[in-house]
Amino acid sequence: MKNSFVCIFLFVAQSFLFCQTFPKAKSVPKTITKFGFSFQDDYTWLEDMKSEETKNWTTAQNEVINLHFVEIKKKYDALSKIKEYHHYSSSGLPTKKEAYYYSLYIKDKDKPSVLFYRKDVNDNSIELFNPFKIYKNTNTVLMDYNPSKNSKYLACKVSLDGSDRNEIRFVGIENSKNLDDVISNVKFSKMEWNSDSGIFYKRNTNQNTFAKDSTYQLYYHKLGTNQEADQLIFDATKSRNGFTYFTKKDRLFIIEQERRTDAKNYYYASLKEEEFKLEKFIASDESEFSLLHYSNNNIYFSSKEYDWGEIRTFPISNRADEKVLISQIYNNLLVGSFFSDGYIFCKYKTLGKNFVNAYKENGDFIRKIDVPENTNFDFKFFDPTTKCLYISVFSTTISPQNFKLNIETGAINHFYNEYLAPQVSLFPLDHFITKNTSFKSRDGKEVPITIIYKKGTVLDGNNPTLLEAYGGFGVVSEQNYNPSLLYFLEKGGVYAFAAIRGGGEKGLNWHKGGMGLTKRNSFNDFIDAAEYLIKEKYTCSNRLAITGASNGGLVVGVAMTQRPELFKVAVPKVGVFDMINFEKYTVGKYWSEEYGNTNVQPEFENLLLFSPLNSIKENVNYPTTLIITSKNDDRVPPFHSYKFAARLQNRQAQKNPIFLQTLDDAGHNGKIANYNSYFEEKANFYDFILYYLNK
C-alpha cells in the first residue's frame, strides 16, 4: 500500500510539473505613480520575505524544482564526475599572514572546512580553527581570518547562515585554544589588530534583516572583555556616511566618504594611546584616490586620474607633496598591488595575458615577469631572504600550479614540497582551447570576450553554449579554476565570458561607460556578445544559455526580457530585478551611483526602461528559466527573485517553464558551507543547462 501511494504521488507530481502548473502567487494589484508614470505591481506582498505566506509559496516552488532535478538526473548527473575532477586537481600555496602560513582543508565532506597553519611553509599543518566544533552547524562558514601582529592570536569571522552579518571568534595560535570572547552583529567588516591586544570592527544595528543597512559604527574590542564594554571609535550614524579603515604599524586609518558629495575625509589615530584620538589629516578631498599602503610616514595610493591605474605617494604630513611613484602603462590594467618588505609587486592584465612588475618601495623598476598566456595568478608571499616571490598560477581549466619567482635574477621555478607534490594534470595542457578575443558592440566599442571549448569541437553553429557576464561596479572579472565547468566542456559545451561595460576590465572609463544613465550599455554589450557567438558559428539561439550572479543576474534578467528569442535557457542567480524598489532594502541605497537614483526623474525613467520586473510583457513566451536565490541573502534580498518568478509564471503566454529555487541556510554566495552542498549546487546547475540545451 505504501509503495502504491508513492507511485501515485510521483505520477501526480510529474503531471503537475509537465503541465506547467506551478504554485500560483496570488495577485494583489497595486498601482504605483511616480513622475507622471503609472505602472502596476501585483506582487508587493512578496517583499515580506519572512511571512508564512511567502515561505509557503517558496517552499512549494522548491518542491517543483527539486522534483524536476530528479527527472533531469535520469539523463544528466554531473555530481560524481565533478567531484572526481576536484579530487584530482592540484592545490595552491598556503596564504601567509604575519609570521605563519594558513590553509583551509576539508576534513568531512558534510561539514565546514577547517583552518590549519604552519610555522614554516614546509612544516606539517596544525589544526587551528574548526567552525563545526564550536557551532555544531554544518552551514557555518569561516569567511575570513586575521592573525595579530605578533601571531599570538587569530581573529576568525564566521557566517552562521549565509548572511553578511557575521560573528567574530578568537583562538590562541600556540595552543590552538578557543578564547571566550564573542563579537556579534559584525557586517562588511575587516578585523584590524592593535598589536596583540584587540581588534577594530564594524557593528551593524539592524533590527530587521532586510531593512536598509545600518553599518555605521567602528568599535574596538579588547581581548578578554565582553562586547558590551567595547569602545566606540567612529560613528557615522547621523551623517550615514560610508567608511573603510585599516591599521598599519602603530596607526589606525579611517577613510570616510561623504554621502552627498562623494568627497573623502581621512583620519588617523595613534595605537599607542588608549583613547585612539582621531586626527583628520585630509578634509573633503574630491580626487577619489584609493589608499593602498602606509610605510615610513608615507601614504601610497592609486588615483582615478589615469584610466589604467598607477601608484602615487605623499608624506602624511604634507598632502600637497604628491608624486607619481609607478606610472600607468597604457592598455595594461593595474589589477592589484602587493607591498612586502620594501618592495611593491604590481599585477597587470591585458587581453589573455597577465604579468608581474617588481619595484622597490621608492618606485625603482626591478623587472617584469610574465606568467603563461591564458592564465591568472595570485600573490601568496614574498621571502626577503631569498628574494623570491611565491605565486599560484591557474586558469579556468587548469588547477593551481605553484611557482617562486626570483626578482633579482628573474629565475622562475616550480615549487613543490611534501604536501604540494608534483601531480599529473587532469587533462593535457592543450585539451581545451581558450580564445581571448573581442567583438564590436553596436556603438563600435571593442568588447573583450573569452571563449573556451574542448579541442576538436566542430564549430558548426550547433554547440550547447553558456554565456556569462558580470559588468558592474568596476569589478575586474578574472579567471578562476572551475572543475564544475570541465564537465560541461567535456560534454561538448562552449563557455564564453564577456567583459562588458560596467566592469573594470578596460580601466576606469570602461566602468563609467556602463553605469548610471549609461547602464544600458552593459546590457547591449551582453546581447551583442550573444549575437557574436551565433554569427561566428559557435552556437545558435536554440542552443544558447545565459547566466550571471548578483549584478550579472540583473544583466541576464534584462537580456531575457529584451531579447527573449535570442536564448534557449536563462539562469540568473541572486539577481537585482526590481529596479524601482532596490534602494528600499539592505545595501541597495549604496547602488544609486551604479544604477541610478529612483528619486531623480531622468534616472528613474532610465531604470524603468530596463527594470526586468517592469519589462515583462503579457504576450511573450520567455526562455526556459531557473531563477536562483538564497533565503538569507541580505545583500540582494530574495524578493527580487520572488517577484520576478511570480510575474513570469502567472501569464497565459508563458509556455516554457519558469523555475524558482530558494536555497535554505545560504546567503549571497550560495551553498558554500561544505563540500557536498557546494558541489551539489554546481552539479544541479550544469545538469539543468545541458538537459534543456540538448532537448
Side-chain angles (χ1 to χ4, degrees):
M1 187 71 181
K2 182 178 179 181
N3 288 338
S4 298
F5 174 79
V6 171
C7 290
I8 291 169
F9 172 78
L10 289 175
F11 173 78
V12 170
Q14 288 173 7
S15 300
F16 165 82
L17 177 64
F18 295 114
C19 288
Q20 276 312 112
T21 309
F22 287 89
K24 189 169 179 62
K26 70 176 182 180
S27 176
V28 183
K30 180 180 179 181
T31 300
I32 299 170
T33 301
K34 194 165 186 176
F35 297 122
F37 291 87
S38 291
F39 54 91
Q40 187 169 299
D41 188 340
D42 295 343
Y43 304 106
T44 55
W45 64 273
L46 286 169
E47 293 176 26
D48 186 356
M49 291 157 279
K50 299 277 190 180
S51 75
E52 287 302 312
E53 194 171 24
T54 300
K55 289 178 183 177
N56 291 338
W57 180 75
T58 55
T59 298
Q61 294 280 345
N62 273 351
E63 289 171 356
V64 171
I65 184 58
N66 289 337
L67 181 63
H68 192 38
F69 280 138
V70 173
E71 189 66 24
I72 287 173
K73 289 180 188 301
K74 293 177 182 177
K75 190 169 183 181
Y76 294 97
D77 194 355
L79 185 58
S80 60
K81 184 56 70 174
I82 289 173
K83 286 183 174 181
E84 179 186 332
Y85 291 153
H86 179 264
H87 178 75
Y88 288 107
S89 298
S90 53
S91 300
L93 286 159
T95 299
K96 187 179 184 185
K97 294 190 175 187
E98 300 298 349
Y100 301 144
Y101 302 82
Y102 297 88
S103 301
L104 280 165
Y105 291 126
I106 298 165
K107 289 184 66 177
D108 186 320
K109 292 181 179 180
D110 286 314
K111 292 177 183 175
S113 297
V114 179
L115 185 68
F116 286 74
Y117 84 105
R118 294 172 170 85
K119 291 188 175 180
D120 182 84
V121 72
N122 294 307
D123 286 349
N124 290 325
S125 61
I126 301 168
E127 183 175 324
L128 186 59
F129 186 78
N130 186 337
F132 186 78
K133 284 184 178 179
I134 297 173
Y135 296 98
K136 308 301 181 186
N137 181 348
T138 58
N139 293 299
T140 302
V141 182
L142 176 60
M143 302 299 294
D144 194 14
Y145 57 91
N146 198 25
S148 61
K149 299 306 177 187
N150 298 302
S151 296
K152 187 175 181 181
Y153 302 106
L154 187 77
C156 299
K157 186 168 67 172
V158 181
S159 174
L160 306 183
D161 58 5
S163 165
D164 283 331
R165 196 191 300 212
N166 301 153
E167 200 169 85
I168 296 176
R169 296 274 185 152
F170 298 88
V171 58
I173 295 179
E174 281 295 328
N175 57 14
S176 298
K177 183 178 179 182
N178 295 317
L179 278 62
D180 293 332
D181 303 52
V182 180
I183 304 175
S184 58
N185 296 321
V186 178
K187 196 169 184 181
F188 305 132
S189 178
K190 297 184 289 184
M191 299 168 289
E192 292 290 305
W193 280 92
N194 173 18
S195 188
D196 297 320
S197 300
I199 66 162
F200 298 92
Y201 68 94
K202 279 186 176 181
R203 185 184 295 182
N204 178 272
T205 59
N206 274 41
Q207 299 300 307
N208 184 314
T209 301
F210 299 110
K212 279 189 178 182
D213 183 66
S214 61
T215 310
Y216 294 121
Q217 297 175 324
L218 180 69
Y219 276 87
Y220 175 68
H221 174 81
K222 188 173 182 179
L223 285 186
T225 64
N226 292 325
Q227 185 177 6
E228 291 75 17
D230 289 354
Q231 182 180 346
L232 179 62
I233 305 299
F234 186 80
D235 191 353
T237 304
K238 289 183 179 179
S239 66
R240 291 183 288 158
N241 290 340
F243 68 92
T244 58
Y245 64 100
F246 67 94
T247 59
K248 196 69 180 176
K249 305 296 183 184
D250 58 352
R251 285 180 173 173
L252 164 70
F253 291 89
I254 298 175
I255 304 99
E256 176 191 27
Q257 183 164 330
E258 295 176 6
R259 183 170 58 92
R260 300 190 184 280
T261 66
D262 286 337
K264 291 181 181 178
N265 300 308
Y266 295 79
Y267 308 83
Y268 67 77
S270 171
L271 296 178
K272 295 178 180 179
E273 300 176 8
E274 293 260 340
E275 293 302 316
F276 307 123
K277 184 180 178 182
L278 292 175
E279 181 177 335
K280 186 184 291 186
F281 66 97
I282 302 175
S284 299
D285 187 282
E286 296 184 353
S287 57
E288 294 188 87
F289 70 79
S290 299
L291 203 155
L292 302 173
H293 185 65
Y294 169 72
S295 177
N296 297 322
N297 290 317
N298 287 317
I299 295 290
Y300 295 81
F301 68 99
S302 182
S303 78
K304 292 191 177 181
E305 183 176 341
Y306 294 107
D307 197 28
W308 297 98
E310 28 74 279
I311 296 178
R312 301 183 179 198
T313 187
F314 63 83
I316 195 169
S317 59
N318 186 3
R319 172 68 179 92
D321 188 14
E322 173 187 315
K323 67 178 181 178
V324 176
L325 201 65
I326 299 171
S327 301
Q328 77 163 347
I329 306 174
Y330 188 73
N331 273 344
N332 293 262
L333 182 67
L334 176 59
V335 179
S337 53
F338 174 56
F339 292 76
S340 180
D341 297 283
Y343 294 92
I344 306 172
F345 303 100
C346 293
K347 177 180 179 179
Y348 290 93
K349 175 184 174 69
T350 61
L351 191 64
K353 187 77 174 173
N354 290 294
F355 62 90
V356 182
N357 272 0
Y359 300 88
K360 292 182 179 178
E361 199 172 64
N362 65 3
D364 289 348
F365 175 75
I366 301 173
R367 69 175 60 253
K368 174 187 176 185
I369 304 174
D370 289 304
V371 299
E373 193 170 356
N374 294 326
T375 64
N376 189 15
F377 70 92
D378 286 337
F379 292 120
K380 288 300 183 176
F381 52 89
F382 176 68
D383 184 346
T385 58
T386 63
K387 305 298 183 187
C388 283
L389 175 68
Y390 289 75
I391 65 172
S392 289
V393 178
F394 48 87
S395 74
T396 306
T397 58
I398 300 172
S399 57
Q401 308 294 309
N402 302 309
F403 294 88
K404 55 181 180 180
L405 318 177
N406 189 296
I407 63 169
E408 289 190 340
T409 67
I412 304 173
N413 294 292
H414 272 96
F415 175 78
Y416 302 114
N417 61 17
E418 286 188 11
Y419 67 91
L420 291 171
Q423 193 167 335
V424 177
S425 62
L426 272 169
F427 301 100
L429 293 180
D430 64 349
H431 189 73
F432 298 107
I433 292 173
T434 299
K435 286 186 178 179
N436 287 284
T437 184
S438 63
F439 63 88
K440 238 179 224 322
S441 67
R442 65 192 67 184
D443 58 347
K445 299 295 184 182
E446 289 288 336
V447 182
I449 187 168
T450 299
I451 305 168
I452 306 173
Y453 53 90
K454 185 178 177 180
K455 185 178 180 181
T457 300
V458 179
L459 303 178
D460 58 359
N462 197 38
N463 298 297
T465 297
L466 177 62
L467 171 62
E468 185 173 7
Y470 183 78
F473 299 94
V475 170
V476 179
S477 298
E478 297 188 273
Q479 289 193 77
N480 284 296
Y481 176 58
N482 187 349
S484 305
L485 179 61
L486 297 181
Y487 175 82
F488 178 74
L489 298 174
E490 277 291 279
K491 289 291 184 181
V494 174
Y495 172 77
F497 186 93
I500 60 179
R501 277 173 284 183
E505 289 86 353
K506 292 181 72 173
L508 299 172
N509 287 326
W510 198 244
H511 176 211
K512 291 175 182 175
M515 64 182 291
L517 291 175
T518 65
K519 189 65 191 173
R520 279 180 290 173
N521 286 334
S522 300
F523 316 129
N524 292 341
D525 287 353
F526 188 69
I527 291 168
D528 293 347
E531 293 185 327
Y532 168 80
L533 292 171
I534 294 169
K535 178 186 173 185
E536 296 298 316
K537 301 295 185 183
Y538 289 100
T539 191
C540 60
S541 293
N542 201 43
R543 306 208 75 189
L544 177 58
I546 52 176
T547 193
S550 196
N551 183 82
L554 166 64
V555 171
V556 171
V558 174
M560 64 176 279
T561 51
Q562 291 191 355
R563 291 292 303 278
E565 81 289 351
L566 199 55
F567 314 107
K568 179 70 175 293
V569 178
V571 186
K573 305 174 184 178
V574 292
V576 190
F577 304 119
D578 184 354
M579 303 310 298
I580 306 307
N581 290 298
F582 74 89
E583 293 169 304
K584 290 165 50 178
Y585 297 94
T586 63
V587 295
K589 62 185 180 179
Y590 301 122
W591 304 339
S592 297
E593 185 179 10
E594 182 69 24
Y595 297 139
N597 189 326
T598 57
N599 294 312
V600 176
Q601 184 169 350
E603 297 179 27
F604 171 81
E605 292 177 13
N606 189 54
L607 287 164
L608 194 57
L609 281 172
F610 69 75
S611 175
L613 180 68
N614 302 95
S615 298
I616 298 170
K617 296 179 174 61
E618 283 296 325
N619 60 348
V620 175
N621 181 25
Y622 293 98
T624 295
T625 302
L626 171 58
I627 302 164
I628 302 174
T629 188
S630 296
K631 182 189 288 186
N632 300 323
D633 187 352
D634 50 359
R635 199 177 311 176
V636 179
F639 85 83
H640 285 278
S641 295
Y642 297 167
K643 293 172 72 174
F644 193 49
R647 180 80 180 92
L648 286 167
Q649 286 177 352
N650 296 347
R651 296 169 307 108
Q652 289 187 352
Q654 189 60 45
K655 305 304 179 187
N656 294 323
I658 305 291
F659 298 97
L660 171 66
Q661 182 183 30
T662 303
L663 303 173
D664 289 330
D665 298 312
H668 193 64
N669 296 311
K671 301 287 282 187
I672 61 171
N674 59 68
Y675 174 94
N676 280 337
S677 61
Y678 175 80
F679 282 116
E680 282 167 9
E681 183 187 341
K682 298 296 182 187
N684 285 342
F685 171 80
Y686 286 105
D687 289 341
F688 184 91
I689 294 288
L690 284 166
Y691 180 83
Y692 279 101
L693 289 185
N694 289 324
K695 280 190 81 170

